[in-house]
Amino acid sequence: MNQIELNNITKRYPGCVANQSVDLKVAVGEIHALLGENGAGKSTLMKIIYGVVKPDEGAMRWQGQTVSVKGPAHARDLGIGMVFQHFSLFETLTVAENIALSLPKAESASMDLLKQRIIDVSEHYGMKLDPNRYVHTLSIGEQQRVEIVRCLLQDVKLLILDEPTSVLTPQEVETLFKTLHLLSDEGCSILFISHKLDEVRALCDHATILKSGQVSGHCVPSETTTEELARLMVGDDTPLTEDYKKAEGDEAFLSIVDLSHQSDDPFACTLKNVSFEVKAGEILGIAGVAGNGQEELLNLISGEDTSAKETVFFAKKAVGNLTPEKRRILGLGFVPEERLGRGAVPDMSLQDNGLLTGYQGELTKNGIINTGKVKAFAQNILERFNVKAAGIHAQAKSLSGGNLQKYIIGREILQDPKLLVCSHPTWGVDIGAAILIRHELIKLRDEGCAVLVVSEDIDELYSISDRICAICDGELSPVAPTHDVSINQLGMWMAGDFHALNNENEGAVK
Amino acid sequence: MDFELFTNILFATLRTGTPLILIALGEMVCEKSGVLNLGQEGMVLMGAALGFIAAVVTGHAGLGIIAAILAGMMMSVLFAFLAVTLVSNQVATGLALTIFGTGLSGFLGAGYVGMAIDGIAPFPIPLLSDIPFIGKVLFSHDPLVYLSWVMFALIFWCFRSTRLGLTIRAVGENPEAANAIGIPVMKVRYGAILFGGAMAGLAGAYLSLVYTPMWSEGMSAGRGWIALALVVFASWKAERILLGAYLFGAASIMHLVLQGLGFEASPNLLAMLPYGATIIVLVIIASDAAKAKLSTPLALGKPYRPQV
């Protein structure tokens, strides 16, 4: 019997069709993958099942009955649980309070009973949780457990997970998969959304692949190669393989010396004695699960936050107390994680956004903007970085995530930085754009620029970094040449175990 | 200063603090749900005017109180419709509400200026009010003072240990997430705004039926604004609102007493005392930024648009 069946679902938004005539069937106890690039319509489809978004056309059958989901509350009554990519948790409440909110009143009447249930369920599924802790003190992996346990307490029959592994360390992923197998053995169906093909092949019984809002294929992942899956996702024209030569680098351009920093923000991470350097002509990758100090570190490098003068050096010049503007004059280019709001001003045109960081070059003279040059600059970015936009007058917020990211990276690269700092350069970007961005980063490196990349995408770091390290709870692991660090070891580093060294690269670290 | 004067000062302090407590508690609930309603002053004035008019027309002060509550709620429905349903800018809408309420209350009450009514009589609690000193200070008040304590206790308990309080906090922290787990965000916000309106109306009734039983234009004298500041400086905590409101009451009374005792200082300067003292004390209490952030409604003032 099918747990859920979608027929002919169509959802249109102004200017695009998010889902077109999508069919999907998930059997009882099946782990079903929904694969597709960003913008392929996976999230919209999930939101339709969960009742957050209403479809324009099509029907949904739940356990054989036609239903029209009125909203998330209705979906949960039916037995549908969802773990969003961006967690729907309340940071200032405790774990137990967060869970109580989503349970029927009768079940959350006694907090003590509920806490015991949380402990029981979380232990049964191998995901330890302390119900009394505040959510903002939990790691991302633990927060995800709260979301999952919350669904499990509601006796869920279908669990939807939207890119659950993108925020986890490799070890946490393993734990999660064990839990999911246990659940499916107990008869719970799981809908697993991802664009990580290896994981889908390891975990899922069946897969449905979406491309531009339409179903482009079905398959049994374990019997399909990763290449075939990727081909179904991206179509025929995009090259899939990348192989970049590693570089040695030259003299150190960026040096961080014994940097410790405590932020005023209670949700922020404290940096502890961080030291490393990035050489001109190399890419240094910093891995780590979000919220372990990356943001704080990058703010200190970009100058948005300042530290003691002698902790940050650009080419031996101490800059720890300088403002972002002064650091940019010294050759800094910066691509923040947040594209809308920090990387670009959402309501301003691409042309004006180009001027935002480009104003120090030839674009202005004595404070007067040279409009002709600004236009040419913006146009140049659009062409060279293959940005799909309505033109240089398009508002930044009208671009898709991938295209805006290409524009922002292009803006920084075209200013010939001596140091480029990139946070999550290809997060949420589709495969084609990601390849272009990585290619440009390598090219910039080969021109002698020092490049620092912070990312949660381990595959990407392995592919482009020359040296690699990890950050955990504000501390930096040893830095070693990428080919000397096994993925297992990097996983240990990301989890904070910095002594986990392979014998052969001990020398490289010292 | 003799003992009787001291007793009277404390007695007057509680009376003066009461309207602030009512307004600020209402606004706190509203802000906890993520809605910043700057229309307090307008709602208080409408409550005061309509409460007084109803009391004059019907000859019944109790009906005046009910009319005042309804007037506050009517004003807040208007605000809720604009700010929640139509997703307008909360700051601008709130300011407009204050200006609207100030004008409309002056217009409606124009014919009632200078009239006198009996107001609401004090209700000394039997037995308790016979206790020396304490009986006079705490238990010889009018019913609305006791009501403000009941409301304080209810709200304190609600946010401390009920699901309703949890729900309101959740909506004020992250409305998108609240919606995703099935909390009716719009309804919760409407409810919180209406509650705030009712409390502001009640405060208005206190001013025009109890505190000084009369109506004059703009008689709230900025109490709506003080209450707004009080909520922020009290870090959205009911017990600190109580403390701040009484502090303000005490300082207001002190400035009158000091003048009466012939204290040599500019009366204008002394009139600043309550504002300065309240803000300084609450700022000192709330100086732990880390803890303050935990009780701040993160989505305060941000409009929420449900997805379609």
Side-chain angles (χ1 to χ4, degrees):
Chain A
M1 191 181 80
N2 285 329
Q3 189 71 259
I4 190 168
E5 209 181 310
L6 298 179
N7 291 315
N8 214 13
I9 296 282
T10 299
K11 175 73 192 175
R12 296 182 196 89
Y13 285 111
C16 77
V17 182
N19 289 138
Q20 187 163 17
S21 313
V22 174
D23 294 331
L24 180 73
K25 289 189 184 81
V26 183
V28 172
E30 177 189 331
I31 303 183
H32 193 102
L34 191 63
L35 270 170
E37 294 200 74
N38 281 84
K42 295 167 298 179
S43 293
T44 308
L45 194 62
M46 293 311 95
K47 285 180 183 163
I48 288 173
I49 296 179
Y50 196 56
V52 181
V53 172
K54 303 244 176 315
D56 297 329
E57 286 162 33
M60 173 170 150
R61 289 165 77 81
W62 174 252
Q63 296 175 331
Q65 306 284 318
T66 302
V67 290
S68 153
V69 185
K70 292 180 192 74
H74 185 205
R76 286 186 301 124
D77 287 344
L78 291 171
I80 302 173
M82 175 142 179
V83 176
F84 288 92
Q85 194 178 352
H86 302 286
F87 302 141
S88 47
L89 293 175
F90 307 100
E91 296 196 332
T92 59
L93 305 185
T94 66
V95 171
E97 286 172 336
N98 263 286
I99 292 176
L101 269 174
S102 60
L103 292 177
K105 270 189 190 128
E107 285 180 54
S108 60
S110 159
M111 263 307 193
D112 292 333
L113 270 180
L114 179 65
K115 283 177 188 168
Q116 193 52 49
R117 275 183 71 201
I118 292 171
I119 294 171
D120 292 346
V121 169
S122 60
E123 276 180 5
H124 174 70
Y125 290 102
M127 304 182 290
K128 256 178 90 66
L129 265 185
D130 177 357
N132 291 319
R133 280 180 64 186
Y134 281 95
V135 165
H136 69 87
T137 65
L138 302 179
S139 74
I140 301 287
E142 287 171 313
Q143 292 189 11
Q144 188 180 56
R145 290 178 186 180
V146 179
E147 287 261 2
I148 295 174
V149 168
R150 178 157 82 177
C151 294
L152 297 181
L153 281 176
Q154 295 164 39
D155 191 24
V156 6
K157 296 287 188 308
L158 171 69
L159 183 62
I160 306 172
L161 299 156
D162 192 355
E163 305 205 2
T165 59
S166 56
V167 293
L168 302 180
T169 64
Q171 283 84 354
E172 284 176 317
V173 169
E174 230 167 86
T175 318
L176 174 69
F177 282 9
K178 273 187 201 144
T179 307
L180 296 183
H181 276 300
L182 187 58
L183 268 170
S184 96
D185 290 345
E186 292 175 355
C188 176
S189 307
I190 290 161
L191 198 49
F192 185 85
I193 305 173
S194 181
H195 54 211
K196 294 193 181 166
L197 305 172
D198 296 333
E199 290 176 358
V200 168
R201 292 187 61 225
L203 180 75
C204 302
D205 305 318
H206 285 94
T208 298
I209 295 111
L210 284 182
K211 180 173 178 294
S212 328
Q214 288 171 302
V215 174
S216 66
H218 299 276
C219 66
V220 177
S222 54
E223 296 166 6
T224 314
T225 64
T226 305
E227 283 69 31
E228 284 167 338
L229 283 174
R231 199 44 85 190
L232 282 170
M233 277 167 66
V234 302
D236 295 330
D237 335 320
T238 320
L240 292 172
T241 48
E242 305 161 82
D243 194 13
Y244 302 118
K245 278 208 183 92
K246 300 292 177 201
E248 279 283 328
D250 202 5
E251 254 182 74
F253 184 84
L254 169 71
S255 309
I256 305 288
V257 181
D258 201 22
L259 175 62
S260 296
H261 183 72
Q262 166 120 39
S263 167
D264 301 330
D265 184 347
F267 300 123
C269 187
T270 302
L271 294 177
K272 297 156 206 147
N273 307 92
V274 173
S275 298
F276 67 92
E277 53 189 30
V278 187
K279 298 175 200 158
E282 74 158 358
I283 299 183
L284 175 71
I286 301 184
V289 177
N292 272 296
Q294 292 95 325
E295 207 182 315
E296 290 77 11
L297 178 62
L298 291 183
N299 282 345
L300 287 167
I301 296 176
S302 74
E304 282 170 68
D305 207 344
T306 50
S307 53
K309 194 175 178 194
E310 307 278 320
T311 49
V312 182
F313 295 85
F314 286 0
K316 296 193 179 119
K317 181 175 161 52
V319 299
N321 59 344
L322 295 187
T323 59
E325 188 191 1
K326 290 186 179 138
R327 295 193 200 194
R328 280 186 172 274
I329 292 172
L330 291 172
L332 170 74
F334 183 55
V335 180
E337 180 183 358
E338 257 175 90
R339 284 159 210 165
L340 286 173
R342 268 178 81 201
V345 181
D347 290 320
M348 274 166 48
S349 68
L350 291 179
Q351 178 189 329
D352 292 344
N353 268 301
L355 191 59
L356 273 186
T357 66
Y359 69 97
Q360 284 161 338
E362 298 176 330
L363 301 182
T364 62
K365 195 172 179 189
N366 302 328
I368 309 292
I369 297 167
N370 184 337
T371 315
K373 279 187 181 161
V374 175
K375 283 183 179 160
F377 179 62
Q379 195 60 43
N380 191 6
I381 303 174
L382 293 194
E383 281 160 21
R384 179 161 157 204
F385 289 86
N386 194 19
V387 180
K388 290 190 196 99
I392 57 173
H393 297 294
Q395 283 188 327
K397 68 180 178 191
S398 70
L399 268 65
S400 76
N403 279 306
L404 184 59
Q405 183 72 347
K406 283 191 278 187
Y407 186 83
I408 294 171
I409 291 192
R411 179 184 72 192
E412 300 302 312
I413 288 182
L414 286 188
Q415 294 176 52
D416 296 323
K418 295 196 182 96
L419 166 68
L420 182 68
V421 179
C422 275
S423 180
H424 302 81
T426 61
W427 185 82
V429 169
D430 60 42
I431 295 184
I435 290 176
L436 184 131
I437 288 171
R438 287 184 205 129
H439 185 75
E440 288 291 343
L441 289 178
I442 295 287
K443 209 163 123 195
L444 191 68
R445 173 198 77 183
D446 292 342
E447 288 165 6
C449 176
V451 181
L452 175 65
V453 175
V454 170
S455 177
E456 285 178 64
D457 183 341
I458 298 177
D459 295 337
E460 169 170 280
L461 288 178
Y462 270 99
S463 145
I464 61 172
S465 341
D466 303 311
R467 290 189 303 147
I468 201 163
C469 60
I471 190 166
C472 178
D473 198 19
E475 287 184 79
L476 200 71
S477 76
V479 182
T482 309
H483 47 76
D484 289 345
V485 182
S486 71
I487 207 149
N488 239 334
Q489 181 179 359
L490 189 67
M492 305 289 260
W493 282 356
M494 286 165 71
D497 185 359
F498 297 153
H499 302 294
L501 289 177
N502 293 346
N503 289 333
E504 64 264 31
N505 62 28
E506 245 169 10
V509 171
K510 282 168 187 164
Chain B
M1 201 189 305
D2 60 28
F3 187 68
E4 188 168 345
L5 179 64
F6 183 60
T7 315
N8 282 334
I9 288 176
L10 285 183
F11 177 79
T13 294
L14 296 198
R15 275 172 61 90
T16 314
T18 299
L20 284 180
I21 292 175
L22 294 172
I23 309 170
L25 285 177
E27 175 68 9
M28 184 191 101
V29 171
C30 185
E31 290 189 13
K32 277 280 189 188
S33 81
V35 181
L36 179 67
N37 184 354
L38 295 182
Q40 300 300 324
E41 185 81 359
M43 299 196 295
V44 172
L45 280 170
M46 283 298 283
L50 289 183
F52 187 78
I53 294 171
V56 169
V57 171
T58 63
H60 221 288
L63 287 176
I65 291 180
I66 292 171
I69 293 176
L70 289 178
M73 289 173 81
M74 293 277 286
M75 292 289 283
S76 63
V77 165
L78 187 64
F79 176 81
F81 179 70
L82 292 169
V84 177
T85 307
L86 300 183
V87 206
S88 69
N89 180 303
Q90 294 178 9
V91 171
T93 311
L95 287 173
L97 194 71
T98 284
I99 295 166
F100 174 64
T102 310
L104 188 62
S105 63
F107 171 71
L108 294 175
Y112 295 85
V113 176
M115 281 192 189
I117 54 164
D118 284 342
I120 291 182
F123 177 78
I125 296 176
L127 298 178
L128 287 176
S129 59
D130 296 334
I131 307 172
F133 182 62
I134 295 177
K136 166 72 180 161
V137 172
L138 290 179
F139 300 112
S140 305
H141 288 281
D142 52 85
L144 289 190
V145 172
Y146 309 134
L147 181 63
S148 74
W149 296 342
V150 173
M151 294 313 293
F152 161 76
L154 274 178
I155 288 168
F156 184 80
W157 172 71
C158 172
F159 281 107
R160 189 189 178 86
S161 47
T162 71
R163 187 186 169 92
L164 176 66
L166 213 54
T167 307
I168 295 174
R169 280 168 65 193
V171 168
E173 184 187 319
N174 189 345
E176 285 80 17
N179 178 55
I181 61 170
I183 295 174
V185 174
M186 307 294 249
K187 276 190 204 163
V188 170
R189 287 197 162 176
Y190 254 91
I193 294 170
L194 273 173
F195 179 79
M199 293 288 276
L202 188 62
Y206 186 83
L207 292 176
S208 68
L209 299 175
V210 181
Y211 196 63
T212 50
M214 53 165 266
W215 162 254
S216 68
E217 208 179 320
M219 71 182 299
S220 57
R223 285 188 179 81
W225 296 114
I226 301 290
L228 271 165
L230 202 57
V231 174
V232 177
F233 289 125
S235 316
W236 295 269
K237 288 188 159 95
E239 67 276 16
R240 287 191 193 167
I241 285 180
L242 201 69
L243 172 76
Y246 286 142
L247 250 169
F248 184 85
S252 305
I253 298 302
M254 281 318 289
H255 108 75
L256 295 176
V257 173
L258 288 177
Q259 275 183 41
L261 292 175
F263 190 73
E264 290 283 326
S266 151
N268 294 335
L269 221 76
L270 283 177
M272 279 169 47
L273 186 69
Y275 304 91
T278 312
I279 288 173
I280 290 170
V281 170
L282 288 174
V283 164
I284 292 170
I285 296 177
S287 59
D288 186 345
K291 276 191 186 153
K293 190 162 179 185
L294 280 178
S295 58
T296 309
L298 293 180
L300 181 61
K302 289 181 195 147
Y304 166 70
R305 271 187 194 81
Q307 278 182 304
V308 281

